[in-house]
Amino acid sequence: NTAKSNKNNQLALKKQYDNEIVSLEALILTTEELIKQYDLSIEQANAEIAELELQLEDQELAFEDMIRMSFMYGNDNYLQMIFDSGNFSDLLSRLDMVSYLLSYNQNVIDGMIKTEEQLRTSTDNLQTSKDNLTKYIESKETLKNDLDKKSDEAQSLINSFLADEASAAK
């Protein structure tokens, strides 16, 4: 009777362990999917950062050219260009040219600022993805350890049950 009672208790405990094992396996699969997603996210962020760095280099070269031209010709050159116009039509053409140059200069600066902000955001996103990836890898290891522990406990329970059953049969 004691053996039968122990058998029922051990079978109920074994069933509980089996349910926990199934849950742990599902969590491991989910964690593996999250790890794959973060790996992909990191890969995309690295590609985006590389592209933004190239874009920023091009913008910095344009900015350096703009500064070099301003230094060579000076800001007074814009006024001189306007005052040197020969007639009204020439004045309008020169005003358009100065307006275009000033607009171009502002666009170069705005583009650099925007690219630097995007680069900072992408770098922050990359670090967040790396942190999350590390967290999920550690979580997966913990889940695997828990799974191994539960599997060992379930196997130990079966061995104990079989030993009890053999002992009771004698």
Side-chain angles (χ1 to χ4, degrees), residues 12-27:
L13 194 54
K14 168 75 168 79
K15 185 173 183 169
Q16 180 184 344
Y17 284 157
D18 288 343
N19 289 337
E20 290 177 15
I21 288 170
V22 168
S23 295
L24 287 170
E25 287 172 341
L27 283 172

Side-chain angles (χ1 to χ4, degrees), residues 21-106:
I21 288 170
V22 168
S23 295
L24 287 170
E25 287 172 341
L27 283 172
I28 289 171
L29 288 175
T30 301
T31 303
E32 287 173 346
E33 285 301 315
L34 288 169
I35 289 170
K36 287 178 188 175
Q37 289 176 3
Y38 279 108
D39 279 337
L40 181 60
S41 175
I42 288 170
E43 188 178 312
Q44 290 171 341
N46 281 329
E48 183 178 339
I49 287 171
E51 184 180 319
L52 287 170
E53 286 173 343
L54 289 174
Q55 186 178 351
L56 187 59
E57 284 178 27
D58 290 343
Q59 291 170 335
E60 285 172 349
L61 289 174
F63 181 73
E64 288 172 8
D65 289 343
M66 181 183 79
I67 296 296
R68 192 175 307 111
M69 285 182 60
S70 293
F71 180 73
M72 286 172 51
Y73 298 110
N75 288 333
D76 295 338
N77 191 37
Y78 293 135
L79 292 174
Q80 188 65 38
M81 187 187 310
I82 292 170
F83 289 133
D84 284 346
S85 22
N87 57 40
F88 187 69
S89 174
D90 190 27
L91 173 69
L92 292 177
S93 294
R94 289 173 186 246
L95 282 173
D96 282 344
M97 178 59 77
V98 168
S99 174
Y100 171 78
L101 291 173
L102 292 174
S103 176
Y104 173 79
N105 291 348
Q106 188 61 48

Side-chain angles (χ1 to χ4, degrees), residues 101-164:
L101 291 173
L102 292 174
S103 176
Y104 173 79
N105 291 348
Q106 188 61 48
N107 286 339
V108 168
I109 293 169
D110 291 344
M112 282 181 58
I113 291 169
K114 181 179 177 186
T115 302
E116 287 173 345
E117 288 172 0
Q118 289 173 332
L119 188 57
R120 269 192 300 279
T121 300
S122 293
T123 303
D124 291 345
N125 290 342
L126 174 63
Q127 188 58 47
T128 300
S129 291
K130 285 181 177 180
D131 292 344
N132 286 334
L133 177 64
T134 301
K135 180 180 80 172
Y136 283 115
I137 288 172
E138 290 170 357
S139 174
K140 179 182 171 188
E141 291 304 314
T142 302
L143 289 171
K144 279 188 171 185
N145 290 338
D146 289 348
L147 176 66
D148 292 342
K149 183 179 173 186
K150 290 294 177 190
S151 294
D152 290 345
E153 288 174 4
Q155 187 60 45
S156 175
L157 193 61
I158 290 171
N159 293 340
S160 173
F161 164 73
L162 292 175
D164 288 349

